[in-house]
Amino acid sequence: MERFSNEGTAFAGWTVSVRPAEGTQFIMSMFGRIREDITSVMERDPAARSWLEVLLCYPGLWAVWIHRISHALWGAKLRLPARMLSQFGRFFTGVDIHPGALLGRRLFIDHATGVVIGETAIVGSDVTMYQGVTLGGTGKGHGKRHPTVCDGVFIGNNANVLGNITVGENSRVGAGSVVLSDVPPNSTVVGVPAHIIYRNGQRVLITDPHDVKDPLSDALIALAARVEELEERLGAEPCPPDPFAAEEAERTAYRVELERLQTYVSMGEGI
């Protein structure tokens, strides 16, 4: 994960305490970052057709660029101007990023509207977020109270990542999920509250309802125990060792069929 400079004012990875002799280099670096952001959108969004379209029609990029300025003001102890600029950005783009948040390089906020990133949130490089994502806190405590999202993470629309937790590198958060605990690297989590369904490319099967961390887990456990007891009384056959094998085989066959038809079928990518 990219390190942020503690010397001078952190400007989303840059340092804004620039001496006059370094002014030209700083400006070139700034435009280099803008070019890098646009290129990353072109690579990740099939709907992006030209640089001009990305520059004019992607409010998620505008929000990131406005944040870089407000974050510099925040680091320079100009807290009120920083907050005012962030509120202007919120009104203009629909994205609410606190000036204190640390954002890495090539952050892509697709569709933008309704995204909230809290004051102590840290977002790594090459992260993708969709509309409605919240990186929020869970209480009124001070200090680090918002999530840390590591490099290469994908967060689906309307997902909520709450509290001082970490989402590991290259992980994926499903749409509508509520993440309340750490996510290991290279994992996929879904649900309310979120639980792991894939890790390092392998399906994670939940056999213990406690792993779901749902308020109804105890009721599900009691129900499962009661069903097992009734089956024993009736002499029913025991459950197979892998109850999800048939479901996984069906899903695999479906994916193979989709891959075969990929040349002929559009799945609406980029919508």
Side-chain angles (χ1 to χ4, degrees):
M1 188 169 181
E2 182 174 327
R3 295 180 178 273
F4 294 89
S5 174
N6 291 322
E7 299 178 0
T9 301
F11 195 61
W14 299 322
T15 301
V16 298
S17 298
V18 181
R19 294 187 294 272
E22 298 174 341
T24 302
Q25 182 179 358
F26 171 74
I27 293 175
M28 294 300 293
S29 175
M30 180 178 65
F31 281 104
R33 284 293 182 87
I34 292 174
R35 185 182 306 110
E36 182 180 72
D37 291 334
I38 295 176
T39 301
S40 71
V41 172
M42 296 288 292
E43 293 173 349
R44 281 186 263 179
D45 188 1
R49 294 173 176 81
S50 70
W51 278 50
L52 184 60
E53 179 183 358
V54 173
L55 184 64
L56 299 178
C57 303
Y58 279 72
L61 274 186
W62 307 340
V64 171
W65 295 337
I66 292 172
H67 170 76
R68 287 176 179 165
I69 302 173
S70 67
H71 183 69
L73 295 173
W74 184 267
K77 308 301 182 182
L78 300 173
R79 301 299 169 86
L80 181 58
R83 290 302 302 268
M84 292 175 64
L85 181 58
S86 71
Q87 291 302 302
F88 167 78
R90 176 186 179 187
F91 175 80
F92 193 58
T93 66
V95 179
D96 186 356
I97 307 177
H98 193 283
L102 294 177
L103 305 184
R105 301 173 69 164
R106 299 176 296 277
L107 170 61
F108 178 29
I109 305 176
D110 200 4
H111 301 290
T113 305
V115 171
V116 177
I117 300 177
E119 177 184 4
T120 61
I122 300 175
V123 180
S125 298
D126 301 304
V127 172
T128 301
M129 300 181 192
Y130 279 81
Q131 69 273 15
V133 167
T134 297
L135 305 183
T138 56
K140 298 181 180 179
H142 296 279
K144 183 72 167 72
R145 60 191 184 278
H146 296 98
T148 296
V149 178
C150 297
D151 298 345
V153 170
F154 173 95
I155 306 180
N157 60 286
N158 297 309
N160 294 277
V161 186
L162 306 176
N164 183 18
I165 62 176
T166 299
V167 181
E169 291 86 353
N170 303 313
S171 290
R172 301 171 69 87
V173 178
S177 300
V178 178
V179 185
L180 301 174
S181 58
D182 291 340
V183 178
N186 305 304
S187 300
T188 298
V189 296
V190 298
V192 181
H195 57 277
I196 300 172
I197 61 170
Y198 281 95
R199 181 182 293 173
N200 296 321
Q202 301 296 320
R203 177 71 185 271
V204 177
L205 297 178
I206 296 176
T207 56
D208 184 354
H210 280 304
D211 292 340
V212 181
K213 300 178 182 178
D214 189 277
L216 295 177
S217 291
D218 292 336
L220 292 174
I221 292 172
L223 180 60
R226 179 61 175 167
V227 170
E228 184 176 352
E229 178 186 348
L230 293 174
E231 287 180 343
E232 289 179 355
R233 288 184 183 181
L234 295 173
E237 295 182 1
C239 293
D242 188 356
F244 299 101
E247 174 190 347
E248 185 64 25
E250 182 178 344
R251 185 181 291 107
T252 301
Y254 176 71
R255 289 186 182 133
V256 171
E257 182 68 12
L258 279 182
E259 186 69 22
R260 187 178 68 83
L261 297 175
Q262 187 174 10
T263 307
Y264 309 100
V265 179
S266 172
M267 302 302 294
E269 294 91 342
I271 295 178

